[in-house]
């Protein structure tokens, strides 16, 4: 069972992408962002919402941590993990050493940078360190780039942070073209 703690835009993209596959996994969501969690559970038969973050931890073998980095300490310190679980963090800026402290006694911890394209199964997700659970999860959503070290992983993180500005720039160009009489679909 896959459990997600935090249900924002990236978590929703991951859940949608996984749920649209031929054999969607069972997914349990935390009640954080209740409206998004309820929408996903209503849209996909393989998704349900747990009563609490701890209930997600108790039910899942693989945990996907999707909270804001500023909330990591508060959220994770209230949880009791099992050593045999696997944790994948999509939080930017929280190093592996800190994740190990916050998720004791879990041994299998990875960091990932999924982008919204995972919703369509076309993601390219940097992963560090690669482990079977994290690799299998993100290979279902596109391509995985196994990064050799945490410094390189942080460089990927910095590079992907520029994508929002890039897409905004492309949107402005498209809007301008449409205003000049180009059909919106072509623009």
């Amino acid at each position: 069972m896959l459990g997600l703690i935090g249900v924002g835009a990236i978590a929703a993209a991951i859940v949608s992408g996984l749920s649209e596959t031929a054999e969607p996994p069972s997914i349990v969501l935390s009640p954080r962002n209740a409206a998004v969690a309820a929408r996903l559970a209503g849209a996909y038969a393989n998704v349900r919402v747990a009563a609490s973050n701890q209930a997600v931890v108790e039910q899942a073998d693989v945990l996907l941590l999707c909270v804001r980095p500023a909330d990591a300490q508060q959220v994770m310190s209230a949880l009791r993990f099992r050593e045999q679980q696997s944790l994948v963090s999509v939080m930017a800026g929280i190093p592996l050493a800190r994740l190990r402290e916050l998720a004791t006694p879990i041994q299998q911890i990875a960091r990932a940078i999924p982008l919204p394209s995972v919703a369509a199964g076309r993601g390219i997700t940097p992963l560090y360190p690669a482990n079977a659970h994290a690799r299998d999860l993100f290979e279902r959503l596109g391509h995985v780039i196994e990064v050799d070290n945490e410094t390189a992983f942080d460089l990927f993180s910095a590079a992907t942070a520029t994508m929002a500005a890039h897409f905004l720039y492309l949107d402005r160009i498209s809007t301008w073209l449409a205003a000049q009489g180009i059909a919106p679909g072509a623009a």
Side-chain angles (χ1 to χ4, degrees):
M1 164 104 42
L2 175 64
L4 279 77
I5 298 175
V7 188
I10 292 298
I14 292 167
V15 170
S16 294
L18 290 171
S19 297
E20 296 288 337
T21 61
E23 294 182 29
S26 295
I27 300 173
V28 60
L29 304 176
S30 72
R32 290 180 67 87
N33 199 340
V36 174
R39 179 180 58 79
L40 291 166
Y44 301 111
N46 61 305
V47 178
R48 61 187 173 75
V49 181
S52 67
N53 289 340
Q54 185 60 45
V56 172
V57 172
E58 290 168 4
Q59 296 172 50
D61 298 315
V62 178
L63 297 165
L64 196 55
L65 187 60
C66 304
V67 298
R68 294 179 320 183
D71 296 336
Q73 172 70 39
Q74 178 186 8
V75 170
M76 293 181 73
S77 66
L79 301 175
R80 300 297 162 248
F81 301 100
R82 298 184 316 272
E83 184 174 354
Q84 64 275 20
Q85 288 176 304
S86 181
L87 175 73
V88 182
S89 170
V90 301
M91 295 185 301
I94 306 292
L96 199 55
R98 181 67 178 138
L99 290 168
R100 289 191 198 291
E101 292 171 3
L102 293 170
T104 299
I106 296 178
Q107 299 299 307
Q108 280 197 17
I109 300 176
R111 295 176 67 195
I113 309 170
L115 299 174
S117 56
V118 297
R122 295 190 313 254
I124 297 174
T125 305
L127 183 63
Y128 174 79
N131 69 47
H133 291 117
R135 185 182 313 107
D136 291 348
L137 173 69
F138 288 106
E139 282 180 343
R140 295 181 75 173
L141 299 170
H143 180 72
V144 170
I145 298 172
E146 294 184 15
V147 181
D148 293 335
N149 61 67
E150 197 159 29
T151 299
F153 181 86
D154 289 337
L155 292 172
F156 274 100
S157 184
T160 61
T162 67
M163 292 185 74
H166 175 70
F167 287 126
L168 180 61
Y169 176 68
L170 293 176
D171 180 64
R172 299 285 188 221
I173 293 169
S174 175
T175 300
W176 177 80
L177 285 169
Q180 306 310 309
I182 304 296

